[in-house]
Amino acid sequence: GAGVSQSPSNKVTEKGKDVELRCDPISGHTALYWYRQSLGQGLEFLIYFQGNSAPDKSGLPSDRFSAERTGGSVSTLTIQRTQQEDSAVYLCASSFSPGLPRGNEQFFGPGTRLTVL
Amino acid sequence: GESVGLHLPTLSVQEGDNSIINCAYSNSASDYFIWYKQESGKGPQFIIDIRSNMDKRQGQRVTVLLNKTVKHLSLQIAATQPGDSAVYFCAENKGNTPLVFGKGTRLSVIA
């Protein structure tokens, strides 16, 4: 597709369940980012993948959060044993390699709205 | 930790007037700055960016100003339109590090 896509667009789950959120980046983009946005708040960085390098996981709030990026393209963010405070919009972004021309510009997907009951 | 913040959380502007959205950053080493616009229910969209070797950059109806001396970034929107109503985020980084986003300013355009 032409842009970053995310699925599902909405996810309602019960406390304690695991959820998986998917991100399809723009073809050719080597960098992929996950952010969390709580209601009325800014973007909280979660994790960053760049090519084949080890991901930067410094923003993950707890060990219940993990992410994978298979084949350098699609990424899945997994939240285990969800809690009510995990309710937020989870945004994915991709970019060319940072440091290259236009590499700093991140293109965002529409997000997945997660509601934990 | 170092972060990017905003002076005002909300801004109301009359249609046709110019809007100025401000942003303060604390990392003096940052060399790249970017403004995003986020409409309700959508992901942020790129508006304009600027590198630290510049102090002004213009786009279509938008201008970004960078004052490195006081670590201040602003976004100016000329002739604000109802479609400009959104939350605006500034973000900054250095080199290959992830962007650090501010909390955002909600711009409301009064018709």
Side-chain angles (χ1 to χ4, degrees):
Chain A
V4 177
S5 60
Q6 293 186 245
S7 61
S9 56
N10 282 283
K11 177 71 177 178
V12 180
T13 190
E14 294 179 346
K15 178 182 174 181
K17 300 285 189 182
D18 297 351
V19 295
E20 285 189 351
L21 312 179
R22 177 187 169 104
C23 173
D24 284 88
I26 292 173
S27 178
H29 280 185
T30 59
L32 187 146
Y33 309 78
W34 282 98
Y35 297 88
R36 179 169 68 176
Q37 186 174 31
S38 300
L39 185 63
Q41 298 296 312
L43 279 69
E44 176 188 4
F45 166 73
L46 296 177
I47 188 169
Y48 160 51
F49 296 89
Q50 169 52 35
N52 295 321
S53 302
D56 177 353
K57 304 180 181 180
S58 61
L60 294 178
S62 77
D63 58 8
R64 296 187 296 106
F65 288 72
S66 63
E68 290 184 341
R69 189 179 185 192
T70 55
S73 181
V74 172
S75 177
T76 302
L77 177 69
T78 301
I79 308 173
Q80 296 178 308
R81 305 180 301 283
T82 52
Q83 304 294 313
Q84 289 182 331
E85 59 264 29
D86 298 335
S87 296
V89 175
Y90 289 82
L91 289 159
C92 174
S94 69
S95 73
F96 291 110
S97 180
L100 293 180
R102 311 295 306 174
N104 296 81
E105 182 183 343
Q106 296 178 24
F107 294 80
F108 283 82
T112 294
R113 181 175 297 279
L114 175 66
T115 303
V116 182
L117 301 177
Chain B
E2 292 180 312
S3 63
V4 178
L6 291 163
H7 292 306
L8 294 173
T10 60
L11 177 66
S12 294
V13 176
Q14 201 74 32
E15 182 179 359
D17 287 352
N18 297 334
S19 302
I20 300 176
I21 300 172
N22 295 306
C23 183
Y25 64 95
S26 57
N27 185 356
S28 57
S30 292
D31 58 10
Y32 178 78
F33 305 86
I34 188 169
W35 282 97
Y36 281 92
K37 172 186 180 183
Q38 187 176 26
E39 296 175 284
S40 181
K42 298 182 180 179
Q45 284 184 293
F46 170 86
I47 302 174
I48 192 168
D49 59 359
I50 189 169
R51 294 202 174 273
S52 59
N53 60 350
M54 302 172 67
D55 54 20
K56 180 179 180 180
R57 191 165 185 224
Q58 288 185 294
Q60 186 177 11
R61 282 202 306 119
V62 294
T63 301
V64 55
L65 299 176
L66 175 63
N67 186 331
K68 295 182 287 294
T69 302
V70 295
K71 291 184 285 188
H72 184 268
L73 188 71
S74 69
L75 176 71
Q76 300 179 0
I77 304 173
T80 313
Q81 302 169 0
D84 295 328
S85 294
V87 177
Y88 291 80
F89 294 96
C90 63
E92 49 91 18
N93 76 346
K94 176 175 174 59
N96 294 341
T97 61
L99 287 168
V100 175
F101 284 80
K103 291 194 182 298
T105 294
R106 181 174 299 279
L107 175 65
S108 297
V109 180
I110 304 166

